């Protein structure tokens, strides 16, 4: 994993030299925000599509860059190329652990993974359940929530990682490999999940794994430097993300129209995919179950430590961070009032 981070670093460093990105939003004198987003149905895409952050912060230069997985986002944070990102809880657990120790903080919960992430066996592969994946080829984006969930599903079924041929593929590459018949199964998320389900069978979903004690989430994280230098911009970002959650709850059709435009889906397709995720109410974010408040950090910190413990057992990280250190990486300043 660390080699992958270092390799990616060179790419991001070169890109930064070419366009000035590396000097961006952490500078207190420069009003710019570099956001990393991913192509999965969430309120983050509502914020992007409707220009909510641009309206809230007209004096800021705001740049949105698409990333395909949490691993590449972690690489970008290491390279200081982004300020705010939508990223899964498993890569965040990695990022807060050695050897990465990325200086960022969790400031929002975008969604809780439900049926929007799942392990699917291709029709004709001979795979009927997770246990029958032994010796089969399974695609998933490494260092993602889907990868974490795949390892958890294998462990639950009594299989070791070495029992399965796991290949590192981004969601769009999974679709292409699936069409060619190169994969027996894949663990991925929407919208690629919807495509492979057309010719496959769901073996287990992230909703089921959450019930079994291995929950995954999509989080909003912010670099510590950016929080220090632009706290008012972080407040504005949290507020518009909360507005997006309110829209998903109150008018899912309107939210789906915005999300569909970002994912090249019809509003009907987007709404169906949106219904497969679990979206919190803004008021829930400051509860003990999730982020918490300045007086008491919520249980999300423990969730991330548990994820790190599992990853350490799978030899994916060097060491598990202390709970106190992870609690310091949960940004609760101003909660719940800052959400509006």
């Amino acid at each position: 994993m660390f080699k992958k981070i270092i390799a990616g670093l060179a790419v991001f460093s070169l890109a930064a030299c070419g366009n000035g990105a590396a000097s961006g939003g952490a500078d207190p004198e420069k009003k710019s925000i570099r956001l990393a987003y991913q192509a999965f149905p969430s309120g983050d895409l509502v914020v992007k599509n409707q220009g909510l952050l641009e309206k809230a912060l007209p004096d800021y230069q705001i740049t949105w860059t698409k990333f395909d997985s949490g691993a590449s986002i972690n690489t970008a944070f290491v390279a200081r190329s982004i300020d705010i990102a939508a990223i899964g809880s498993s890569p965040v657990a990695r990022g807060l652990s050695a050897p990465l120790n990325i200086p960022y903080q969790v400031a929002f919960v975008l969604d809780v993974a439900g049926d929007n992430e799942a392990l699917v066996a291709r029709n004709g592969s001979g795979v009927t359940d997770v246990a029958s994946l032994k010796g089969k080829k399974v695609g998933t984006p490494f260092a993602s929530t889907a990868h974490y969930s795949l390892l958890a599903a294998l462990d639950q079924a009594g299989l070791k990682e070495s029992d399965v041929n796991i290949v590192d593929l981004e969601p769009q590459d999974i679709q292409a490999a699936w069409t060619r018949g190169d994969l027996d199964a894949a663990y991925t998320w929407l919208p690629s999940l919807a495509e492979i389900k057309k010719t496959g069978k769901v073996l287990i979903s992230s909703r089921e794994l959450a019930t079994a004690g291995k929950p995954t989430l999509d989080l909003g994280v912010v670099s510590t430097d950016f929080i220090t230098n632009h706290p008012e911009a972080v407040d504005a970002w949290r507020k518009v993300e909360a507005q997006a959650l309110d829209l998903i709850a109150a008018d899912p059709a309107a939210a789906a129209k915005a999300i569909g435009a970002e994912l090249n889906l019809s509003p009907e397709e987007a709404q169906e995919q949106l219904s497969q995720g679990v979206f919190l109410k803004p008021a829930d974010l400051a509860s003990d179950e999730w982020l918490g408040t300045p007086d008491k950090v919520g249980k999300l910190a423990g969730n991330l430590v548990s994820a790190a413990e599992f990853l350490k057992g799978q030899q994916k990280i060097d060491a598990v961070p202390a709970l106190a250190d992870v609690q310091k990486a949960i940004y609760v300043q101003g909660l719940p009032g800052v959400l509006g």
Side-chain angles (χ1 to χ4, degrees):
M1 168 63 187
F2 192 57
K3 291 180 180 177
K4 187 174 181 179
I5 291 290
I6 293 299
L9 210 63
V11 175
F12 277 96
S13 296
L14 287 171
C17 290
N19 60 21
S23 64
D27 184 347
E29 301 302 321
K30 186 173 183 180
K31 289 191 171 184
S32 67
I33 309 177
R34 301 159 302 168
L35 297 107
Y37 75 98
Q38 296 192 61
F40 55 75
S42 72
D44 199 43
L45 293 186
V46 174
V47 172
K48 178 180 182 294
N49 179 262
Q50 296 190 350
L52 299 182
L53 190 58
E54 287 81 356
K55 293 171 186 174
L57 296 171
D59 294 337
Y60 276 75
Q61 178 183 340
I62 295 170
T63 305
W64 294 81
T65 302
K66 181 177 176 291
F67 286 77
D68 292 322
S69 69
S72 57
I73 286 175
N74 273 342
T75 302
F77 271 115
V78 172
R80 301 172 67 86
S81 296
I82 54 175
D83 305 306
I84 299 176
I87 181 173
S89 54
S90 177
V92 169
R94 284 175 178 249
L96 294 174
S97 303
L100 296 181
N101 298 313
I102 299 172
Y104 56 33
Q105 297 180 42
V106 178
F108 209 84
V109 178
L110 297 171
D111 66 80
V112 181
D115 298 320
N116 52 348
E117 288 193 10
L119 174 60
V120 181
R122 185 174 52 80
N123 292 343
S125 65
V127 176
T128 57
D129 55 18
V130 178
S132 60
L133 285 172
K134 187 171 184 178
K136 300 292 187 177
K137 182 183 286 188
V138 184
T140 197
F142 280 11
S144 67
T145 50
H147 188 198
Y148 170 86
S149 296
L150 172 61
L151 297 177
L154 294 175
D155 185 63
Q156 187 183 82
L159 294 178
K160 301 188 295 292
E161 183 180 6
S162 58
D163 290 330
V164 180
N165 179 14
I166 303 177
V167 292
D168 182 13
L169 293 172
E170 301 293 359
Q172 69 274 17
D173 298 321
I174 285 175
Q175 281 185 238
W178 190 272
T179 301
R180 294 192 302 267
D182 293 345
L183 297 174
D184 298 301
Y187 209 123
T188 187
W189 53 80
L190 292 171
S192 62
L193 174 62
E195 292 303 311
I196 69 172
K197 280 170 62 176
K198 294 174 181 177
T199 53
K201 170 191 174 184
V202 174
L203 302 180
I204 194 168
S205 71
S206 293
R207 186 189 299 273
E208 295 170 87
L209 287 167
T211 302
K214 290 290 185 292
T216 52
L217 310 94
D218 290 314
L219 304 172
V221 301
V222 187
S223 77
T224 300
D225 277 352
F226 190 83
I227 289 172
T228 299
N229 293 318
H230 300 276
E232 77 294 334
V234 178
D235 288 351
W237 167 74
R238 289 189 291 178
K239 191 168 292 185
V240 296
E241 290 287 356
Q243 289 174 19
L245 286 181
D246 282 335
L247 185 66
I248 290 171
D251 193 348
K257 183 178 179 181
I259 290 168
E262 293 295 324
L263 297 178
N264 197 27
L265 298 173
S266 70
E268 294 75 22
E269 289 173 319
Q271 189 165 352
E272 196 278 329
Q273 292 191 13
L274 200 59
S275 70
Q276 297 179 49
V278 179
F279 298 93
L280 305 179
K281 296 178 181 177
D284 294 336
L285 297 178
S287 71
D288 184 57
E289 191 68 25
W290 302 108
L291 296 175
T293 66
D295 293 329
K296 184 182 180 184
V297 175
K299 295 177 183 177
L300 176 59
N303 175 295
L304 292 171
V305 170
S306 294
E309 289 171 344
F310 181 80
L311 292 169
K312 177 65 168 64
Q314 297 285 332
Q315 300 181 320
K316 301 301 179 186
I317 58 175
D318 291 350
V320 177
L323 175 61
D325 290 334
V326 177
Q327 287 174 331
K328 293 175 184 175
I330 307 296
Y331 186 63
V332 291
Q333 188 66 35
L335 291 177
V338 72
L339 299 178

